[in-house]
Amino acid sequence: MKQLVMLGGGYGNMRALKRLLQSSSLPEDIQLTLIDRVPYHCLKTEYYALAAGTISDHHIRVPFPDHPRLKIVYGEVTEIQLSEKAVHLQGQDPIYYDDLIVGLGCEDKYHGVPGAQEHTLSIQTIDKSRQTYQILNNLPANAVVGVVGAGLSGVELASELRESRPDLSIKLFDRGEIILPAFKKRLSNYVQNWFIEHGVEVINRSNITKVEEGCLYNHDERIDCDAVVWTAGIQPNRIVRDLDVEKDAQGRVVLSPYHHLPEDNSVFVVGDCASLPFAPSAQLAEEQAEQIAEVLLAKWNNETMPELDEIKLKGVMGSLGKKSGFGTMGTAALIGRVPRLLKSGILWLYKYQV
C-alpha cells in the first residue's frame, strides 16, 4: 500500500480528505493517514468566541471522518525528515510516507517584542483559547484587558469580549491610522465607530515596545493591564520553520504551481505554511486543498497533470458580537446584521457538511 500522510486536521487537510475519500478514482492501493494532536477538527475561525466565553468548547469541534481507508494517529509531530520520507512523533515510532501533505498551521509571531511571548495570552490553538477563556472569565469587575493587534482576530475577540464581559475595560491596540486598513474605508469606519459606541478604547498608531506582568508599553509608555491577548501576527509552525526548503519573506514554504515542493513532488504544503498570493485563511486553505486532491488523484492514476485555475476567494466575513458584522463579497462592502447572519450560516453549513 502507498501511504499518503496528512499532518494536521485543519481546514486544508479536512477538505482534501473529503475530496479524496469521496472520489471514485481513489486507487485501491492508497492508504490515508491523518496525524493530529487532538481527536477532532477544530473550527479555528471561532477561537475568539471560545476565548471570550460566548460559545462553549463543543460548538467548535467536528469529528474526523470515519472511513475504512483512513487511519488516524494522535500525537505531536517533532520533525519531518524529507530525505528519509519520515515523520517523527513524540514518544512514537516514525511514520513513513510516499506522499505528504503538511498542514500544521501557524503560531503567534511576537516581532521581537520583549516579554510578549511570556506575558500574553493566545488564541492560536484550542488549548490556548481555553486557557485564555479561563483567565479572562476569572477577571474581577473593571479589570483592564489589552488586545494587541486589530486584524480580523483582534477585532472579533475585542467585540465578543465586550458582549461577554461588559464590566471589563477593553483597550484595542492598532498599528494603523484606522482599524482594518486593507478593507474599504466605509467598512473600516463602521468597525472603528462600533468600538467607540460600545465603549472599547481603540488606540491607533500604537507600537508595543515591551510587555511585562501586569502591563504593556505603548511607545515606551506604561499602560497597566490585568490581561493582555496577543493577536498581532502569525508565523508558520516551528516544524515547518525548521525545514531546509525555500521560503518567502514571511517564512512560508515556496511551492510549485501544483502546491508541492519544487524539488520534491511528493511533499505538499497547505494552508498557513504555504506561500500564496493571499493572506492565510480557512477559505484559502480549502481552495488550495481542492487542487491538491486533484493533483494527487492524477498522479496516482498516472494521468496528465490537470490545468489548475487561479485561486479566487469569495470574500471575508467578520463579526462584531452576535448582532453585527462586516465583510466583503466580490467588490461589495457589507456592514451590519446581514454579514453577521451570513457568517453564522456559513459556519452552520460547514459544521454539518464537512
Side-chain angles (χ1 to χ4, degrees):
M1 296 286 283
K2 295 179 182 178
Q3 298 290 331
L4 169 65
V5 175
M6 312 172 80
L7 306 184
Y11 291 96
N13 273 337
M14 287 292 280
R15 178 61 64 90
L17 269 178
K18 182 177 181 179
R19 289 292 171 257
L20 292 172
L21 293 175
Q22 289 180 344
S23 175
S24 59
S25 58
L26 178 64
E28 292 295 328
D29 65 342
I30 299 295
Q31 171 70 47
L32 281 59
T33 299
L34 174 67
I35 301 175
D36 201 283
R37 291 177 295 191
V38 296
Y40 38 75
H41 167 53
C42 302
L43 304 181
K44 188 176 181 180
T45 57
E46 304 305 301
Y47 283 175
Y48 73 92
L50 174 62
T54 55
I55 62 172
S56 61
D57 193 285
H58 76 274
H59 281 106
I60 58 171
R61 299 198 310 249
V62 178
F64 289 134
D66 182 11
H67 195 282
R69 302 288 296 277
L70 174 63
K71 178 183 178 183
I72 300 176
V73 175
Y74 302 116
E76 182 81 28
V77 177
T78 58
E79 184 185 7
I80 302 169
Q81 278 190 315
L82 298 176
S83 60
E84 303 296 325
K85 291 200 165 191
V87 175
H88 292 265
L89 305 179
Q90 189 171 30
Q92 300 184 49
D93 292 334
I95 293 178
Y96 295 91
Y97 64 85
D98 294 286
D99 290 292
L100 179 70
I101 305 179
V102 181
L104 290 172
C106 60
E107 301 172 358
D108 289 302
K109 186 173 184 178
Y110 297 101
H111 307 286
V113 176
Q117 185 169 357
E118 295 82 5
H119 300 297
T120 65
L121 305 172
S122 172
I123 57 171
Q124 281 302 323
T125 69
I126 192 167
D127 286 341
K128 289 180 178 179
S129 299
R130 289 172 180 140
Q131 294 166 9
T132 298
Y133 162 70
Q134 290 291 339
I135 291 172
L136 296 180
N137 184 62
N138 289 328
L139 290 173
N142 302 314
V144 178
V145 176
V147 178
V148 180
L152 188 59
S153 295
V155 163
E156 292 190 310
L157 174 65
S159 60
E160 204 81 5
L161 189 59
R162 165 52 68 231
E163 289 196 355
S164 174
R165 291 291 308 270
D167 55 290
L168 296 176
S169 174
I170 303 171
K171 299 178 183 292
L172 179 60
F173 294 88
D174 177 30
R175 288 182 65 94
E177 298 286 332
I178 191 170
I179 280 186
L180 302 173
F183 290 84
K184 290 187 176 181
K185 191 171 183 180
R186 171 171 169 261
L187 189 151
S188 297
N189 285 332
Y190 177 81
V191 175
Q192 181 108 3
N193 289 332
W194 188 96
F195 282 119
I196 294 170
E197 292 167 5
H198 289 80
V200 174
E201 183 181 0
V202 179
I203 303 173
N204 297 113
R205 296 179 293 278
S206 66
N207 181 29
I208 306 305
T209 52
K210 183 168 60 173
V211 184
E212 295 177 346
E213 186 174 356
C215 70
L216 57 73
Y217 291 80
N218 180 32
H219 295 285
D220 296 323
E221 178 184 349
R222 178 186 172 109
I223 299 176
D224 291 329
C225 294
D226 296 282
V228 178
V229 187
W230 191 269
T231 65
I234 59 173
Q235 61 184 339
N237 181 283
R238 179 191 64 80
I239 304 299
V240 173
R241 297 203 307 273
D242 289 346
L243 286 177
D244 184 18
V245 297
E246 184 182 359
K247 303 185 181 81
D248 64 15
Q250 287 74 43
R252 301 184 180 109
V253 178
V254 173
L255 301 172
S256 76
Y258 294 104
H259 308 294
H260 57 64
L261 298 181
E263 67 280 5
D264 188 344
N265 68 359
S266 68
V267 179
F268 298 78
V269 181
V270 68
D272 298 341
C273 298
S275 180
L276 296 168
F278 301 97
S281 68
Q283 183 184 168
L284 177 60
E286 289 178 332
E287 292 297 320
Q288 188 193 7
E290 293 272 358
Q291 296 191 349
I292 291 174
E294 190 178 354
V295 169
L296 281 170
L297 289 170
K299 176 184 177 180
W300 292 333
N301 288 292
N302 297 313
E303 298 172 353
T304 302
M305 283 294 109
E307 290 188 17
L308 301 178
D309 295 329
E310 179 184 350
I311 291 178
K312 295 181 180 179
L313 303 183
K314 300 175 181 67
V316 178
M317 295 295 161
S319 68
L320 293 169
K322 299 301 183 192
K323 296 181 180 179
S324 189
F326 58 94
T328 61
M329 187 172 291
T331 60
L334 306 176
I335 58 175
R337 193 164 182 82
V338 170
R340 187 64 183 92
L341 291 171
L342 285 172
K343 181 178 180 182
S344 296
I346 292 167
L347 178 62
W348 185 90
L349 286 172
Y350 180 88
K351 285 180 67 175
Y352 295 103
Q353 293 185 9
V354 70

